[in-house]
Amino acid sequence: MRLLVREGVGLGVLPPIVIQDELSQGLLAIGAALPGIVERFYAVTIARRFPNHLLQDLLLRQMP
């Protein structure tokens, strides 16, 4: 979608982090902010033979 918007095919709803290079180069501009839209990220993990306790603490934290 980023590449289509960059080529001028249309408009797109993209997170600023995805287009930060284009924004800094002036290739794209933010037209409007959509504060009610959020994006969640999830991680899938498997049991490890030698677990990393710091990583385990991070993965078990409750996100707001």
Side-chain angles (χ1 to χ4, degrees):
M1 186 179 280
R2 174 183 61 88
L3 295 175
L4 290 171
V5 172
R6 186 173 162 174
E7 292 300 318
V9 174
L11 301 176
V13 177
L14 302 163
I17 191 71
V18 172
I19 57 169
Q20 70 182 15
D21 292 338
E22 285 86 353
L23 290 172
S24 65
Q25 295 172 13
L27 298 173
L28 295 177
I30 296 176
L34 301 171
I37 295 179
V38 297
E39 186 174 8
R40 301 203 192 288
F41 294 92
Y42 298 93
V44 177
T45 62
I46 59 173
R48 296 180 58 157
R49 184 173 178 180
F50 302 105
N52 181 330
H53 297 291
L54 295 175
L55 182 60
Q56 182 179 0
D57 292 343
L58 179 66
L59 292 173
L60 293 176
R61 283 189 195 169
Q62 293 294 323
M63 293 299 189

